[in-house]
């Protein structure tokens, strides 16, 4: 099939490369000239494991190309994906301006040569499918000259479907090839058939796995879930809200564990083995962040507000998370008493390991709070230092290129992002160069024994 993907960010680029790998001709449209320039040279402008090689390979196969010409790409395409950003506005509502611009531009570029399917992959509020359809129609009308009766061209025919994306940064390629489910919301049976056909190699797992994304053992077929448009849109928001709520739940219990002398890691294991609860997303720590959870939970609350519908669980999910980010500050104060004049080293900046994404990253909140309290902040992230410096020029952090240089003259080291390389650090070596041997394990992933054996004080979360 001929596919056009508009927006070559985390979602759009991974989608483009995967569909190209499956033998579709994919044109990815990117508005940022800097991003487009890199992509045309085969350079992925952000960090996602395996994506650099994968994109290069699919470009070389001839199935993936990049352009800034939305019009040209739309005209060729059978299926057009919208994968632009929908960040939060200050009031919590999603900023849909990128979707709006793209939907109108698609309408302006459509011709009557074939029926197109416009797929909304961006995470958008309930009702956006119909809104996008209206915007595309407006684009069509604005672009169509009033024709002479005799020469009336075929008017463009299209349908809008919702296909929410569930990939996780850090494992985006694997998640795309081996998803838990594919959801398509549509009101048009023919569009559902086309989408099912497009995803058939993934649904039936008939493709040859790429070397860097092997098929998990015993992985078989993928459920293809067909819903109405509004339900598909709500599935995406609800899934993220539920995951965020699970983490906040674990964090609330972690606080209680500290009061009563229990260990949240043991509690999480004990409850997670119940199949109705499940083990995932029960890790206590500095809380959730990233480009999706915060904005999607706020957007869901905003939708509910429009209908005067109370969302107490969602509100609690957010407030527990806000409190949780500052739990490490409280622990630092308990150990060091006054933070003014102290130096604190942050291990990790990205919102989770295996990505350089800093959107809503707990490390940024913690760093700002420490600076506000008069502490000096050092940080070492294996991939996100440079991006942090660019995105937060006012954040007065000393960036370090190893755990050892980070630890030098620190009064405490705080593990914020659980990168694998932080799990087995040479604590004895770090202890020697620190001013005060304190380690706060903000993700409960370190060996307490190793840290204590190095003569250091260890503080975890909820135990
Ligand atoms: N990042 C994730 O893990 C993730 C997971 C699931 C869903 N989502 C959702 O997917 C959507 C995209 O997220 P993302 O993280 O890929 O965002 P992103 O900001 O990384 O990428 C969006 C891209 O769209 C480009 N763009 C904006 N306007 C454009 C236009 N008019 N024409 C062409 N390109 C344009 C931007 O330059 C950018 O490269 C969001 O709605 C997000 O909520 C993201």
């Amino acid at each position: 099939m001929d596919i056009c993907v508009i927006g070559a960010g985390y979602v759009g680029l991974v989608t483009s490369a995967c569909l190209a790998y499956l033998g579709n001709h994919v044109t990815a449209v990117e508005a940022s000239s800097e991003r487009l320039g890199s992509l045309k040279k085969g350079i992925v402008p952000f960090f996602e494991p395996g994506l650099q090689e994968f994109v290069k390979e699919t470009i070389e196969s001839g199935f993936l190309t990049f352009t800034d010409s939305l019009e040209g790409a739309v005209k060729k395409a059978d299926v057009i994906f919208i994968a632009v950003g929908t960040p939060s506005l200050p009031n919590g509502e999603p900023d849909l301006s990128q979707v709006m611009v793209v939907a109108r531009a698609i309408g302006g570029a459509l011709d009557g040569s074939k029926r197109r399917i416009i797929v909304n992959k961006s995470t958008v509020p309930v009702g956006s499918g119909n809104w996008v359809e209206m915007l595309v129609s407006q684009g069509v009308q604005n672009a169509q000259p009033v024709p002479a009766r005799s020469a009336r061209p075929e008017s463009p025919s299209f349908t809008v479907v919702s296909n929410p994306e569930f990939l996780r940064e850090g494992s985006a390629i694997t998640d795309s090839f081996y998803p838990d489910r594919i959801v398509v919301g549509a009101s048009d049976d023919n569009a559902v058939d086309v989408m099912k056909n497009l995803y058939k190699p993934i649904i039936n797992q008939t493709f040859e796995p790429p070397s860097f994304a092997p098929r998990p053992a015993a992985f078989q077929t993928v459920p293809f879930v067909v819903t109405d448009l509004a339900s598909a849109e709500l599935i995406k928001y609800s899934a993220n809200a539920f995951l965020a709520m699970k983490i906040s739940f674990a964090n609330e219990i972690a606080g209680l564990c500290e009061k009563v002398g229990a260990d949240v890691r043991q509690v999480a294991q004990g409850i997670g083995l119940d199949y109705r609860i499940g083990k995932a997303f029960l890790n206590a720590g500095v809380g959730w962040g990233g480009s999706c959870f915060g904005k999607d939970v706020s957007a869901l609350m905003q939708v509910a507000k429009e209908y005067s519908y109370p969302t107490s669980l969602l509100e609690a999910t957010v407030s527990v998370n806000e409190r949780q980010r500052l739990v490490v500050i409280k622990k630092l104060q308990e150990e060091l008493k006054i933070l003014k004049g102290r130096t604190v080293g942050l291990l990790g900046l990205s919102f989770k390991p295996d990505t350089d994404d800093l959107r809503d990253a707990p490390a940024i909140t913690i760093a700002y709070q420490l600076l506000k309290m008069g502490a000096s902040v050092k940080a070492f992230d294996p991939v996100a230092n440079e991006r942090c410096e660019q995105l937060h020029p006012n954040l007065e952090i000393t960036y370090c290129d190893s755990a050892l240089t980070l630890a030098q003259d620190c009064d405490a080291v705080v593990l914020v992002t659980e990168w694998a390389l932080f799990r087995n650090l040479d604590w004895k070596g770090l202890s020697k160069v620190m001013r005060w041997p304190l380690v706060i394990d903000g993700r409960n992933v370190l060996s307490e024994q190793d840290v204590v054996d190095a003569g250091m004080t260890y503080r975890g979360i909820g135990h």
Side-chain angles (χ1 to χ4, degrees), residues 63-106:
F63 285 95
L64 175 61
T65 51
F66 296 97
T67 180
D68 57 0
S69 166
L70 183 143
E71 192 177 349
V74 164
K75 282 201 165 31
K76 270 196 307 192
D78 303 299
V79 180
I80 301 153
F81 282 87
I82 301 177
V84 293
T86 49
S88 274
L89 289 167
N91 68 358
E93 283 176 26
D95 176 356
L96 298 175
S97 56
Q98 295 179 34
V99 175
M100 190 163 87
V101 168
V102 165
R104 286 211 178 105
I106 293 171

Side-chain angles (χ1 to χ4, degrees), residues 7 9-11 30-31 35 84 86 98 123 165 169 295 359:
Y10 289 89
V11 167
E30 174 52 52
R35 202 162 253 202
V84 293
T86 49
Q98 295 179 34
T123 303
E165 180 55 64
E169 286 173 23
K295 88 173 170 63
R359 290 178 278 186

Side-chain angles (χ1 to χ4, degrees), residues 215-263:
R215 183 170 288 124
F219 191 88
Q220 289 179 339
T221 53
V222 175
F224 185 75
V225 181
V226 179
T227 70
D228 55 74
L229 270 168
S231 300
E233 290 161 349
L234 203 53
I235 284 171
K236 175 63 195 172
Y237 278 133
S238 310
N240 274 352
F242 188 85
L243 293 171
M245 185 184 70
K246 235 181 141 184
I247 298 172
S248 282
F249 178 83
N251 282 329
E252 185 153 288
I253 297 297
L256 193 57
C257 283
E258 291 186 9
K259 299 282 177 214
V260 303
D263 184 335

Side-chain angles (χ1 to χ4, degrees), residues 67-312:
T67 180
D68 57 0
S69 166
L70 183 143
E71 192 177 349
V74 164
K75 282 201 165 31
K76 270 196 307 192
D78 303 299
V79 180
I80 301 153
F81 282 87
I82 301 177
V84 293
T86 49
S88 274
L89 289 167
N91 68 358
E93 283 176 26
D95 176 356
L96 298 175
S97 56
Q98 295 179 34
V99 175
M100 190 163 87
V101 168
V102 165
R104 286 211 178 105
I106 293 171
L110 287 180
D111 57 29
S113 61
K114 51 186 165 184
R115 182 166 172 78
R116 286 3 183 272
I117 296 172
I118 300 169
V119 185
N120 213 344
K121 221 175 213 325
S122 295
T123 303
V124 289
V126 180
S128 297
N130 296 336
W131 177 69
V132 166
E133 191 173 320
M134 181 199 78
L135 292 167
V136 175
S137 299
Q138 280 176 2
V140 170
Q141 278 158 18
N142 294 344
Q144 298 278 306
V146 182
R149 271 171 193 271
S150 55
R152 194 177 192 98
E154 281 288 307
S155 63
S157 160
F158 69 91
T159 186
V160 175
V161 309
S162 167
N163 174 213
E165 180 55 64
F166 300 102
L167 66 75
R168 296 162 299 171
E169 286 173 23
S171 54
I173 302 174
T174 303
D175 290 347
S176 300
F177 279 128
Y178 313 109
D180 293 333
R181 74 297 205 191
I182 293 171
V183 173
V184 169
S187 52
D188 174 330
D189 290 345
N190 184 46
V192 171
D193 288 345
V194 174
M195 293 302 288
K196 194 166 188 181
N197 203 23
L198 178 63
Y199 283 124
K200 205 164 161 186
I202 295 180
I203 296 169
N204 297 334
Q205 290 292 302
T206 48
F207 64 92
E208 187 63 39
S211 57
F212 47 84
R215 183 170 288 124
F219 191 88
Q220 289 179 339
T221 53
V222 175
F224 185 75
V225 181
V226 179
T227 70
D228 55 74
L229 270 168
S231 300
E233 290 161 349
L234 203 53
I235 284 171
K236 175 63 195 172
Y237 278 133
S238 310
N240 274 352
F242 188 85
L243 293 171
M245 185 184 70
K246 235 181 141 184
I247 298 172
S248 282
F249 178 83
N251 282 329
E252 185 153 288
I253 297 297
L256 193 57
C257 283
E258 291 186 9
K259 299 282 177 214
V260 303
D263 184 335
V264 73
R265 296 167 300 183
Q266 295 175 21
V267 175
Q269 189 194 12
I271 63 174
L273 284 169
D274 183 328
Y275 79 94
R276 293 168 304 174
I277 296 173
K279 285 184 271 187
F281 283 72
L282 279 182
N283 301 330
V286 295
W288 43 266
S291 68
C292 292
F293 281 12
K295 88 173 170 63
D296 292 354
V297 175
S298 315
L300 196 51
M301 289 196 290
Q302 286 297 328
V303 171
K305 205 166 151 194
E306 279 172 33
Y307 295 89
S308 304
Y309 184 77
T311 50
S312 330

